[in-house]
Every structure is written in structure tokens, then in C-alpha cells.
């Protein structure tokens, strides 16, 4: 089956470079998240720790609350920092676009670490920590930039903005 092109408008060369660089960084973060999930699974399989003795239910609620906070913060990072109004100035567009997507992916990756903490402290079963791992992966995938986000600006991105974002 033939897939339609992602975009019908051609991006300027500076925007294309920014898009490719941002995608590369977000994919690198997704690889780190995947490695974190793999290491967490191995640790939880072979390490039999019971770190919390007292109020387990309070810790459970706190860690689930932390997961909700990570999800909200990742989403808000991407939506607020990458808003069209914030991307309008061509001299700062590359930096802001890059930081909004990479920051959202990095924040989302914290969910995998929360899953390890949950497994070590509350319940080291797959069924218990998989929600943390899935959240980390989904937030990383949502942070992958699309070319449409850099389209339809009145001025093309300035090449100087690409070097500033490094």
C-alpha cells in the first residue's frame, strides 16, 4: 500500500537540517530508554530486594503520581516550548524546536527509571512495571518531530539558529 508523503510543502535547507538533527537526538533518547528498560527487566528478574517495609500503599500512590507528573511535564514541555508562537522568530526557531522535542523525550524517559524504582520497592513483577515502560516509550515516540511543525512560517529558519542549538 502506498503511503502519502508526510508533507506537501518543501522545507528550507536549514529547517530540514534542524528536523533531521532533532529526530536523531530523540531516537538516541529512545535507544537509551530501551536499554534502561532492558536493564530494569534484568535487575528485577535477578535481584530480590524488598526496600519498603512500612507504608507500601503510600509509596505506590507516590510513584503512580510521579508517573502522571512525568507524563504531564513531558507533554507540556513539547506543547509549550514548541508552540507555533514560540517558533515564529526564525533566529531562535531551531533552538526552541530542538529543545522542545529533545526535552520532552528526555523527561518521558524518566518513566522507565520510575518503573525500576517501583519494581525494586513495591512489586518486581512485569505486570506492575510495564505501565512505566510503555509510558516512557510512548512519550519518546510522541516527541519525534514531524516536518509539518516547521511548515508555513512567513520567514525561513536562519542557518545561524542551527549552530546555537548545539
Amino acid at each position: 500500500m502506498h503511503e502519502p508523503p508526510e508533507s506537501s510543502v518543501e522545507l528550507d535547507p536549514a529547517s530540514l537540517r534542524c528536523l533531521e538533527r532533532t529526530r536523531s537526538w530523540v531516537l538516541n533518547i529512545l535507544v537509551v530508554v530501551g536499554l534502561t528498560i532492558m536493564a530494569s527487566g534484568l535487575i528485577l528478574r535477578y535481584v530480590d530486594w524488598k526496600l519498603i517495609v512500612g507504608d507500601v500503599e503510600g509509596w505506590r500512590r507516590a510513584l503512580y503520581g510521579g508517573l502522571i507528573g512525568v507524563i504531564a511535564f513531558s507533554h507540556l514541555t513539547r506543547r509549550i516550548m514548541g508552540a507555533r508562537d514560540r517558533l515564529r522568530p526564525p533566529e531562535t526557531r531551531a533552538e526552541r524546536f530542538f529543545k522542545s522535542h529533545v526535552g520532552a523525550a528526555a523527561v518521558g524517559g524518566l518513566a522507565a527509571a520510575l518503573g525500576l524504582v517501583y519494581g525494586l520497592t513495591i512489586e518486581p513483577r512485569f505486570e506492575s512495571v510495564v505501565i512505566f515502560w510503555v509510558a516512557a516509550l510512548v512519550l519518546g515516540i510522541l516527541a519525534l518531530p514531524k516536518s509539518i511543525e516547521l511548515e508555513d512560517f512567513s520567514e525561513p529558519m536562519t542557518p545561524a539558529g542551527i549552530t546555537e542549538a548545539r
Side-chain angles (χ1 to χ4, degrees):
M1 192 163 140
H2 183 265
E3 289 188 29
E6 184 180 331
S7 170
S8 59
V9 178
E10 290 290 321
L11 293 177
D12 58 279
S15 294
L16 263 178
R17 283 192 306 275
C18 175
L19 180 66
E20 290 170 3
R21 181 171 166 263
T22 306
R23 281 182 180 163
S24 175
W25 274 75
V26 171
L27 286 172
N28 288 339
I29 291 171
L30 276 169
V31 168
V32 170
V33 167
L35 292 172
T36 303
I37 290 170
M38 181 188 73
S40 297
L42 290 172
I43 290 169
L44 293 175
R45 176 163 174 81
Y46 295 112
V47 175
D48 188 24
W49 288 352
K50 182 68 174 168
L51 298 178
I52 296 180
V53 179
D55 182 22
V56 173
E57 213 37 53
W59 280 98
R60 183 186 317 271
R61 282 193 296 270
L63 288 169
Y64 278 131
L67 176 62
I68 292 169
V70 164
I71 292 169
F73 192 63
S74 174
H75 179 72
L76 290 173
T77 298
R78 189 171 42 88
R79 298 292 293 176
I80 292 172
M81 290 177 65
R84 295 288 288 179
D85 288 341
R86 292 193 44 90
L87 296 178
R88 204 159 304 288
E91 59 278 351
T92 60
R93 188 176 307 146
E95 176 183 6
R96 289 178 177 178
F97 183 79
F98 178 83
K99 286 181 179 179
S100 70
H101 288 278
V102 173
V107 168
L110 294 175
L114 272 178
L116 176 60
V117 172
Y118 185 89
L120 288 173
T121 58
I122 307 291
E123 196 173 8
R125 294 184 14 216
F126 173 78
E127 299 83 21
S128 302
V129 296
V130 71
I131 190 166
F132 293 91
W133 296 344
V134 169
L137 290 172
V138 167
L139 291 171
I141 291 168
L142 287 175
L144 279 169
K146 297 166 194 65
S147 62
I148 196 167
E149 296 175 70
L150 290 174
E151 291 178 357
D152 298 329
F153 285 104
S154 58
E155 300 174 56
M157 185 182 295
T158 57
I162 292 174
T163 57
E164 292 174 6
R166 289 184 184 171

